[in-house]
Amino acid sequence: MMPATLHVLLRRRALAPSSRMLAVALTTVAALLPSQLHAQGTISGLGFGNPINGMSTRSSGTAGAFVEFDALTPINPSAIGGLSRTVLSAQVEPEHRTLSLGALREKTSSQRIPVLMVAFPARRGVAVAFSARGFLDRSYTTTTTGSAVIDGRTLPTSEVLTMRGAIGDIRGAVGWQINPKFRVGLGGHIFTGDNTAARERTFADTLRFGSTLDSSKVTYIGTAISIGGEAQLFKGVSATLSYRVGNGLDARIRDTTRASGSVPARLGGALRYDGIPGSVFTVGFEQVKWSDMQGMSSSRTIAHDAQNVYAGAEVAGPRLRGYPVMVRAGYARNQLPFSISAEQVKETRFGGGVGIPIGRDAASIDFSIQRANRVLNGSLAKESAWLFGAGIQIRP
């Protein structure tokens, strides 16, 4: 990387690959120095990258408040227990960010498919689901200009560093509704991905000097197990808990393990009230032990454990061909995992959305919008983002 005093130009557009959702990637490049935040164009993508919630558009419309109860968000495996019909689900969620560093502003965007899922009933209250969701994403391109001394001559140069990396969570789960008041579930996870870094240097005198290109690739593999349970406490009120225990997560170059950590452990819980017909209200929490990944980080990357809280609601709105349009809203306060200092990036998020039935009850489409504001304490860095979600659920 060129010295921080050099002028830094950025042209970045991140893209989480949709066709490779089962093998999405993660980067291990060290977190950037504060003076380089503008070069990266984001504070949510520091360290190993931006955590992708990987949830359905229904949950996005409540800013994540429904993740514990949502059968189409692959977090709590007990949520699929008692499923009565096969469901195919897919979501898209582009994010448009603006990073502010004092008077400097930089805009970036990401195009993502946060989750793909199929779930189907077996028998006697048992259901099975397979899903692929985003977990972490860090893809960007930076361009720096400077000079190099060759044979005593100082030559202007331009250097382009391209990172393409993310990590994905592939889950197979079984849920069982033991009786109308109690459900349990078990999930097995594979966390996999790769990171490709390419550095190209070009010279102003292209007639005498050709460009140089270096690239490297790191692959990642890890596993985890999740369990969950849901119980009806009394009429209209239910509680749920889920826990993910992470196993090893290795970074490999070719067949050699270069660094090791663990898939972050996660604990989540929520209370739900659905005593009013056509309405659901939820409050919940989440704790993620991101420090389990510290062993894979450089000395410049600090992994912070995160504690997140949220609240949301879904109510029945006007009817369309006899079926209600669902209206959603939610609020969340989150902590992001990676930083360049002892200070942690904090996020507030507001969400809203609608669910529209189509083809009677054979399918539905959902739309969501979220506004996120992120702050890195101890710096001038602030980030705001709009996330637009669209999802479809088909029940053949």
Side-chain angles (χ1 to χ4, degrees):
M1 180 66 68
M2 305 296 286
T5 55
L6 295 179
H7 178 56
V8 180
L9 303 173
L10 173 66
R11 294 293 181 268
R12 177 177 183 269
R13 187 170 186 86
L15 177 63
S18 58
S19 62
R20 299 171 56 205
M21 192 63 191
L22 299 182
V24 290
L26 169 71
T27 183
T28 57
V29 178
L32 301 177
L33 297 173
S35 60
Q36 295 172 302
L37 278 171
H38 184 61
Q40 184 175 337
T42 174
I43 61 174
S44 57
L46 293 172
F48 285 91
N50 182 26
I52 304 172
N53 293 321
M55 54 191 174
S56 73
T57 308
R58 181 194 184 200
S59 290
S60 295
T62 61
F66 276 22
V67 294
E68 292 290 335
F69 293 99
D70 189 355
L72 299 181
T73 296
I75 297 294
N76 188 338
S78 68
I80 63 174
L83 190 72
S84 60
R85 297 178 64 175
T86 298
V87 182
L88 305 174
S89 176
Q91 330 292 324
V92 295
E93 192 176 77
E95 178 178 351
H96 303 279
R97 296 182 292 263
T98 300
L99 173 69
S100 300
L101 282 170
L104 300 176
R105 292 166 63 86
E106 187 66 61
K107 294 185 178 182
T108 62
S109 61
S110 294
Q111 308 294 332
R112 301 191 184 106
I113 295 182
V115 62
L116 301 171
M117 187 170 180
V118 57
F120 52 89
R123 53 186 301 183
R124 297 183 179 180
V126 175
V128 179
F130 298 95
S131 63
R133 74 179 183 102
F135 184 63
L136 285 168
D137 171 63
R138 191 184 181 207
S139 301
Y140 66 91
T141 299
T142 62
T143 300
T144 58
T145 59
S147 61
V149 178
I150 299 178
D151 292 335
R153 295 181 56 191
T154 301
L155 302 174
T157 64
S158 176
E159 186 172 273
V160 178
L161 176 64
T162 302
M163 296 290 177
R164 290 294 177 264
I167 188 170
D169 172 12
I170 304 170
R171 189 195 76 166
V174 176
W176 179 27
Q177 183 172 2
I178 300 173
N179 55 54
K181 295 185 177 181
F182 191 60
R183 289 190 272 189
V184 295
L186 175 67
H189 304 253
I190 298 176
F191 290 80
T192 184
D194 61 72
N195 166 239
T196 301
R199 187 191 300 268
E200 183 178 15
R201 172 175 286 191
T202 58
F203 296 88
D205 188 353
T206 57
L207 296 178
R208 300 187 60 186
F209 298 94
S211 61
T212 62
L213 176 64
D214 293 321
S215 64
S216 63
K217 183 177 181 179
V218 182
T219 60
Y220 299 85
I221 187 69
T223 59
I225 296 174
S226 61
I227 58 174
E230 179 183 336
Q232 181 178 328
L233 303 181
F234 46 90
K235 186 177 180 179
V237 177
S238 300
T240 186
L241 280 173
S242 65
Y243 181 70
R244 182 183 68 218
V245 55
N247 300 318
L249 179 63
D250 295 333
R252 301 174 181 175
I253 298 179
R254 297 184 177 88
D255 296 327
T256 303
T257 300
R258 297 293 184 175
S260 296
S262 298
V263 174
R266 178 193 176 276
L267 173 67
L271 289 173
R272 179 180 66 186
Y273 176 70
D274 55 7
I276 302 175
S279 301
V280 180
F281 303 89
T282 298
V283 294
F285 75 95
E286 177 187 58
Q287 295 180 337
V288 185
K289 194 178 179 185
W290 292 102
S291 58
D292 289 343
M293 296 181 67
Q294 186 65 55
M296 302 175 64
S297 304
S298 75
S299 59
R300 293 180 177 178
T301 302
I302 300 176
H304 300 272
D305 295 336
Q307 297 183 4
N308 309 321
V309 295
Y310 42 74
E314 178 184 71
V315 298
R319 289 184 169 269
L320 180 65
R321 296 182 179 180
Y323 292 86
V325 174
M326 307 307 296
V327 181
R328 304 168 183 129
Y331 169 78
R333 294 184 63 182
N334 303 319
Q335 296 176 323
L336 301 191
F338 304 110
S339 180
I340 55 178
S341 68
E343 298 293 340
Q344 191 167 13
V345 179
K346 297 181 179 180
E347 176 190 77
T348 59
R349 185 175 293 208
F350 298 88
V354 294
I356 303 172
I358 55 176
R360 297 183 180 273
D361 62 344
S364 63
I365 54 175
D366 298 293
F367 299 97
S368 68
I369 182 172
Q370 297 180 80
R371 176 64 171 180
N373 294 292
R374 301 156 185 152
V375 177
L376 176 60
N377 292 336
S379 76
L380 297 176
K382 296 182 179 180
E383 182 176 295
S384 60
W386 289 102
L387 296 89
F388 302 95
I392 184 168
Q393 292 76 46
I394 301 174
R395 306 171 188 90

